[in-house]
Amino acid sequence: MKDNRRIGEDDLHALIDGRLPVERRAAVGVYLAATPQAAARVLAYQKQRAALRDRLALKANEPVPSRLRIANITAERRRRRRERVTSFAAALALIALGGVLGWLVHEWSGDPTTAPIETVRTPVADDAISAHRTFAVEVAHPVEVSASQEQQLIQWLSKRLGPPLQIPNLNDLGFRLMGGRLLPAGTGPAAQFMFEDAAGTRVTLYVQVRENEETAFRSARDGEVSTFYWIKDGLGYAISAALERDRLLAIAEAAYRQLESDNPKQKRTTL
């Protein structure tokens, strides 16, 4: 079928970035052949992009500056929030009691999704919410690597984080994978995978290395964004979205079960 849609700037930038869908390339090629000025501009931008990538190649593997890390950016915000908290001793006692009960149920059942869900703010939850709020609204560049390159995306992020990563399939819940990106987090990197439904609602899965920690299902909320998160086998996971709690919980539970079934550490310990 002939593509009669108007060629716009989004198409040209997608071509320059290598993200133009296959079915759109023919129409853009015809447009550029008939519009020399646009073709020359695209060629110039492609050369600039290639030159920048070559120039910055040595920087790609350097540590992310501390001033750009999400954890440092949100540290001041968390400090102000703590100053406003009242009755700290009583709240701490309730959190401790909930943590003990939740851990006991987790130990009995072996499945964090069946334990009572606590509402606790931690660095993993804060970083996941901040990352979701930053990138879920992006129109031009919501992800660094698109879902069409899923295997390359998994390999790239697994190499940067260390442990092998998996991406859950949320199609049955109405959310398709858009792609993912690398993020700074504390002293190391983190990964974010983004999903979107037919209405344009976006859900993100945030993954961060958290050695020597274990946490059953917990929830947190900041404004319109909620998250469910857990830490297991050296990785912290957080599912975040501006959704009602029950719908997001169903998504988080589905992601948890898929990630656990694909977890190499878990497979080795259960043999």
Side-chain angles (χ1 to χ4, degrees):
M1 180 182 294
K2 186 177 181 181
D3 191 341
N4 293 319
R5 291 176 295 168
R6 180 179 176 274
I7 305 299
E9 286 296 313
D10 287 347
D11 295 304
L12 300 183
H13 284 289
L15 176 64
I16 293 166
D17 294 338
R19 297 182 296 104
L20 187 67
V22 175
E23 62 274 12
R24 190 70 168 149
R25 292 176 187 171
V28 173
V30 171
Y31 170 77
L32 293 177
T35 316
Q37 290 182 338
R41 183 156 53 94
V42 167
L43 180 60
Y45 285 159
Q46 288 174 329
K47 290 181 178 179
Q48 289 177 8
R49 184 173 184 271
L52 284 172
R53 288 176 67 90
D54 291 341
R55 190 80 176 269
L56 298 176
L58 294 177
K59 291 285 185 180
N61 294 320
E62 289 185 1
V64 177
S66 60
R67 69 180 184 278
L68 299 179
R69 292 175 180 160
I70 291 178
N72 292 343
I73 293 172
T74 59
E76 179 63 18
R77 191 167 140 203
R78 292 200 300 270
R79 184 187 66 79
R80 291 196 299 268
R81 187 181 301 114
R82 284 196 298 269
E83 290 177 352
R84 295 196 297 268
V85 174
T86 59
S87 304
F88 178 75
L92 185 60
L94 289 174
I95 291 171
L97 177 61
V100 170
L101 293 175
W103 180 250
L104 287 174
V105 174
H106 163 64
E107 287 294 283
W108 294 334
S109 67
D111 183 352
T113 64
T114 64
I117 299 174
E118 305 171 61
T119 301
V120 183
R121 294 296 292 271
T122 68
V124 172
D126 284 339
D127 291 352
I129 290 174
S130 295
H132 177 88
R133 184 173 280 119
T134 298
F135 296 107
V137 298
E138 280 288 328
V139 177
H141 303 288
V143 296
E144 283 185 271
V145 180
S146 70
S148 63
Q149 298 174 293
E150 183 175 345
Q151 289 307 311
Q152 293 92 323
L153 173 64
I154 294 173
Q155 292 170 5
W156 172 50
L157 294 179
S158 296
K159 181 178 179 180
R160 293 306 304 271
L161 267 69
L165 304 182
Q166 299 291 333
I167 304 177
N169 187 326
L170 303 179
N171 290 344
D172 289 345
L173 295 169
F175 287 87
R176 64 173 181 84
L177 177 67
M178 298 178 67
R181 66 171 61 245
L182 182 70
L183 296 172
T187 58
Q192 183 191 65
F193 302 103
M194 189 174 296
F195 305 81
E196 185 178 59
D197 69 2
T201 302
R202 291 175 175 176
V203 170
T204 56
L205 169 63
Y206 180 88
V207 186
Q208 182 185 118
V209 175
R210 304 294 293 186
E211 295 290 348
N212 303 317
E213 294 184 48
E214 292 283 335
T215 297
F217 247 43
R218 291 180 176 176
S219 68
R221 185 176 182 88
D222 189 347
E224 78 287 357
V225 180
S226 296
T227 189
F228 286 92
Y229 64 97
W230 67 97
I231 302 174
K232 190 168 177 64
D233 294 327
L235 288 174
Y237 302 90
I239 292 281
S240 306
L243 288 173
E244 56 270 29
R245 188 176 189 274
D246 289 346
R247 188 181 179 195
L248 185 58
L249 176 58
I251 295 170
E253 289 178 337
Y256 168 80
R257 291 191 168 88
Q258 290 184 47
L259 291 169
E260 283 302 292
S261 67
D262 289 334
N263 190 317
K265 285 189 177 182
Q266 186 185 54
K267 287 181 178 179
R268 286 197 292 269
T269 59
T270 54
L271 288 176

